[in-house]
């Protein structure tokens, strides 16, 4: 029996994301006042994705309790649709985007923080909020994967969806630069146009790798024990 019920964990994680988003939006940062606002940053988009995902998880938990007390096939059908949407979000958005944000942020930060998170930002963003945006995302999503079985879509469809998200964000970043003349991230200012193409291509490949890793991890956690149990029978 789990020390803390998964339903309680999801509510706690959802509340933490609400707190992080509220504190982040309350920051008086110049970048938030320019074109695109907070939505031009992948970190903020990821926080919204995680909050919506865990909100959906909590909704499913509540709906499951209500469905048990009732006897409506329509409620069961709606619940299955919600579960399908939750699993799709986990596979295509929550895990790969969350893992990508954590990996790329800390990789660039350790190499040269000025490329992604200039020291000037320490005057606006407290350390706990920085970790809430760029660190705890990964353990939270792994906890969810460990406590709940998620059905992944076919790999081709899943990778296509992840690529669409990645390309969509790249186009959005280029549009913001076209309008403002400034790249969202300092690293893009320091490299040549050809290097940007290579950089964007590499980042798209990385997020696809994280999708595949999420699929493998989910399969390892849930399918392997089940397979061994079947073989034992």
């Amino acid at each position: 029996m789990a020390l803390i019920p998964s339903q309680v964990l999801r509510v706690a994680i959802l509340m933490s994301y609400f707190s992080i988003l509220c504190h982040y939006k309350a920051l008086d940062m110049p970048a938030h006042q320019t074109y695109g606002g907070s939505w031009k940053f992948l970190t903020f988009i990821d926080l919204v994705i995680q909050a919506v995902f865990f909100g959906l998880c909590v909704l499913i938990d509540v709906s499951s309790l209500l469905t048990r007390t009732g006897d409506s096939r329509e409620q069961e059908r709606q619940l299955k649709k919600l579960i399908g949407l939750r699993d799709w979000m986990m596979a295509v958005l929550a895990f790969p985007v969350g893992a990508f944000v954590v990996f790329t942020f800390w990789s660039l930060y350790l190499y040269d923080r000025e490329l992604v998170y200039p020291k000037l930002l320490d005057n606006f963003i407290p350390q706990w909020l920085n970790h809430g945006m760029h660190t705890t995302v990964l353990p939270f999503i792994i906890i969810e994967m460990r406590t709940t079985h998620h059905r992944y879509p076919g790999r081709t469809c899943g990778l296509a969806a992840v690529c669409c998200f990645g390309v969509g964000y790249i186009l959005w970043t280029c549009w913001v630069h076209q309008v403002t003349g400034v790249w969202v991230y300092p690293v893009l200012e320091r490299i040549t146009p050809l290097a940007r193409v290579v950089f964007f291509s590499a980042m798209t490949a990385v997020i696809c790798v994280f999708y595949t890793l999420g699929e493998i991890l989910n399969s390892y956690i849930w399918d392997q024990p089940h397979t061994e149990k079947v073989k034992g029978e």
Side-chain angles (χ1 to χ4, degrees):
M1 184 176 181
L3 294 176
I4 304 176
S6 59
Q7 295 87 344
V8 176
L9 284 173
R10 292 188 192 102
V11 172
I13 292 173
L14 177 61
M15 291 300 100
S16 73
Y17 277 122
F18 280 158
S19 176
I20 291 169
L21 282 168
C22 287
H23 280 86
Y24 181 78
K25 291 297 292 183
L27 295 175
D28 185 19
M29 293 176 57
H32 291 179
Q33 312 304 321
T34 57
Y35 182 81
S38 303
W39 291 97
K40 58 180 173 284
F41 300 109
L42 185 58
T43 293
F44 179 77
I45 295 174
D46 177 51
L47 289 175
V48 173
I49 289 172
Q50 303 299 330
V52 171
F53 171 72
F54 279 99
L56 181 59
C57 291
V58 172
L59 176 61
I60 289 172
D61 288 338
V62 174
S63 299
S64 298
L65 293 174
L66 296 176
T67 302
R68 289 175 187 173
T69 59
D71 187 22
S72 172
R73 293 185 177 180
E74 179 60 27
Q75 286 181 338
E76 291 181 0
R77 282 196 294 268
Q78 294 302 322
L79 180 59
K80 288 181 179 178
K81 289 181 180 178
L82 288 176
I83 292 174
L85 177 59
R86 178 202 66 188
D87 292 348
W88 185 89
M89 279 197 70
M90 175 65 157
V92 173
L93 295 174
F95 185 89
V97 177
F100 176 84
V101 166
V102 173
F103 173 79
T104 54
F105 174 83
W106 287 111
S107 295
L108 290 171
Y109 186 97
L110 293 174
Y111 175 73
D112 181 0
R113 67 171 296 178
E114 295 299 319
L115 296 176
V116 66
Y117 193 81
K119 195 172 181 60
L120 176 66
L121 293 179
D122 289 342
N123 298 324
F124 299 94
I125 304 176
Q127 282 296 317
W128 72 265
L129 185 56
N130 180 28
H131 285 292
M133 297 187 298
H134 299 116
T135 305
T136 58
V137 172
L138 188 56
F140 282 168
I141 203 66
I142 290 177
I143 288 172
E144 169 60 22
M145 181 177 282
R146 181 62 184 86
T147 56
T148 305
H149 181 218
H150 298 273
R151 295 185 181 277
Y152 267 61
R155 182 169 295 182
T156 301
C157 293
L159 287 173
V162 171
C163 284
C164 286
F165 174 85
V167 172
Y169 180 70
I170 289 170
L171 293 176
W172 167 236
T173 300
C174 293
W175 176 252
V176 171
H177 175 262
Q178 178 68 23
V179 172
T180 64
V182 178
W183 287 103
V184 175
Y185 302 104
V187 62
L188 297 174
E189 297 279 5
R190 301 189 183 187
I191 57 180
T192 64
L194 179 59
R196 287 191 200 107
V197 173
V198 175
F199 180 81
F200 287 141
S201 300
M203 292 301 99
T204 302
V206 169
I207 199 171
C208 287
V209 169
F210 280 120
Y211 170 87
T212 306
L213 288 176
E215 182 184 40
I216 293 171
L217 181 59
N218 183 71
S219 177
Y220 175 79
I221 292 172
W222 293 100
D223 294 350
Q224 186 177 4
H226 180 264
T227 302
E228 289 176 355
K229 181 178 178 181
V230 172
K231 287 181 179 179
E233 294 175 352

